[in-house]
Amino acid sequence: MTTASTVSPWDDAIFWEGVDGGRLLLARCARCSRIQHPPSPMCPSCGSVSWDVQESSGKGRLHSWIVSHHPSRPDAEPRVVVLVDLDDGVRFVSNLHNVQLDEIQVDMPVEVTFQLVGDTVLPLFTRPGGGT
Ligand SMILES: [Zn+2]
């Protein structure tokens, strides 16, 4: 899905506004249509500085993952940090949600889910249909 608005290339506010509304919005070059995530000032393919917004389906496949034991708080649970190949053609770093360690497989299908973490909504990934 495409929206008509144009984003400032170095402004990630549109991304976070999308997340707050339960949408994964990506920057798409207005000249060559390359999807760029994270946003950058200039398109690495054609040099354009004009960007449009594309809504991602949020679907993709697990490229790689690790269990992070580096605690952000003394009682924090380890997190599964994932690298997802989105169907849109970009990689996305996030955490896996609601998936047991023995269920994780490289290339497994995943989809975005928007979860409140502390006081911030974050785009996390889970199995299709597992975003409760
Ligand atoms: Zn471009």
Side-chain angles (χ1 to χ4, degrees), residues 9 28-33 40-52:
R28 184 187 66 237
C29 177
R31 184 190 295 166
C32 75
S33 299
S40 63
M42 180 182 291
C43 175
S45 293
C46 74
S48 173
V49 294
S50 296
W51 297 91
D52 292 325

Side-chain angles (χ1 to χ4, degrees), residues 11-88:
D11 183 1
D12 63 356
I14 190 93
F15 174 81
W16 290 108
E17 289 170 11
V19 168
D20 284 343
R23 302 166 68 200
L24 194 60
L25 301 180
L26 302 172
R28 184 187 66 237
C29 177
R31 184 190 295 166
C32 75
S33 299
R34 175 194 168 110
I35 305 296
Q36 178 67 28
H37 185 80
S40 63
M42 180 182 291
C43 175
S45 293
C46 74
S48 173
V49 294
S50 296
W51 297 91
D52 292 325
V53 176
Q54 175 170 311
E55 182 172 0
S56 172
S57 68
K59 297 181 185 305
R61 292 194 170 268
L62 188 63
H63 178 80
S64 184
W65 62 281
I66 63 164
V67 177
S68 172
H69 293 279
H70 190 287
S72 54
R73 297 186 315 254
D75 60 349
E77 294 293 323
R79 293 171 288 158
V80 178
V81 180
V82 293
L83 191 57
V84 173
D85 287 328
L86 286 175
D87 290 350
D88 306 276

Side-chain angles (χ1 to χ4, degrees), residues 91-103:
R91 289 200 172 136
F92 198 97
V93 177
S94 183
N95 287 177
L96 202 59
H97 176 74
N98 270 356
V99 180
Q100 299 299 312
L101 288 179
D102 61 358
E103 299 172 326

